[in-house]
Amino acid sequence: MDLQEISDRLEIADVVTRYTRGIDTGEWDRLDTVFTPDADIDYTESGGIRAGYAEIKPWLAEMLPAFFPRRMHTIGQVEVVFTASDAASVVAYFDNPMPMHDGEGGEKIVEVGGMYHHEMVRTSDGWRSRKLHEQVVWKRGL
């Protein structure tokens, strides 16, 4: 592994972290540093929508706080496979426990585990995801 590949891997891992931190903190503008403007994002396996980034960003800002007022991802292994010098397929394991209203005045914890599949490209602003597919492997409490 040369220095460029090490640097690219660190930058790509940082994109994954920025994504989960943006989602967890509700700092939706942080997602502008994660996705290309034309990114295709698919949340259908978790009950969400599939759309372009311009539609996804406001949808996340509206829907996530309404159903899951607090969120906290844990990212596990991150696999990076370079498909070209400026492109990579990235798979990141995730676990995401979230409290939600239980309908009886309290709350319950729901949890989703799976893999984020990103197609990343090097841009003039650094690595960005041009495609995200959230693969749900398991759910608990839903």
Side-chain angles (χ1 to χ4, degrees):
M1 209 179 304
D2 64 16
L3 287 177
Q4 184 62 56
E5 183 176 343
I6 292 168
S7 175
D8 289 340
R9 288 177 180 278
L10 289 171
E11 288 181 43
I12 288 167
D14 192 51
V15 172
V16 173
T17 299
R18 286 197 313 268
Y19 168 73
T20 58
R21 292 286 298 145
I23 295 292
D24 292 348
T25 63
E27 295 175 51
W28 310 113
D29 288 340
R30 185 181 274 201
L31 299 178
D32 296 344
T33 70
V34 172
F35 294 105
T36 61
D38 62 343
D40 175 54
I41 304 168
D42 184 354
Y43 292 120
T44 56
E45 288 191 33
S46 60
I49 64 172
R50 179 179 182 176
Y53 177 60
E55 185 178 343
I56 287 287
K57 183 180 172 184
W59 178 83
L60 288 169
E62 178 183 354
M63 299 306 289
L64 283 181
F67 290 97
F68 306 105
R70 296 183 311 279
R71 299 160 301 279
M72 189 177 83
H73 281 83
T74 300
I75 296 295
Q77 55 196 23
V78 177
E79 177 186 49
V80 178
V81 176
F82 292 99
T83 56
S85 62
D86 59 352
S89 292
V90 179
V91 179
Y93 284 38
F94 73 87
D95 176 34
N96 192 11
M98 302 167 286
M100 70 180 294
H101 303 293
D102 66 5
E104 299 175 5
E107 63 181 27
K108 64 179 182 175
I109 301 293
V110 299
E111 194 170 9
V112 179
M115 292 175 263
Y116 290 125
H117 298 268
H118 287 276
E119 293 299 324
M120 295 209 188
V121 293
R122 185 192 319 269
T123 72
S124 60
D125 294 321
W127 286 92
R128 298 291 185 265
S129 178
R130 70 174 171 205
K131 184 175 184 178
L132 168 61
H133 172 239
E134 179 187 62
Q135 177 188 1
V136 174
V137 175
W138 55 269
K139 298 178 189 178
R140 181 177 16 208
L142 289 172

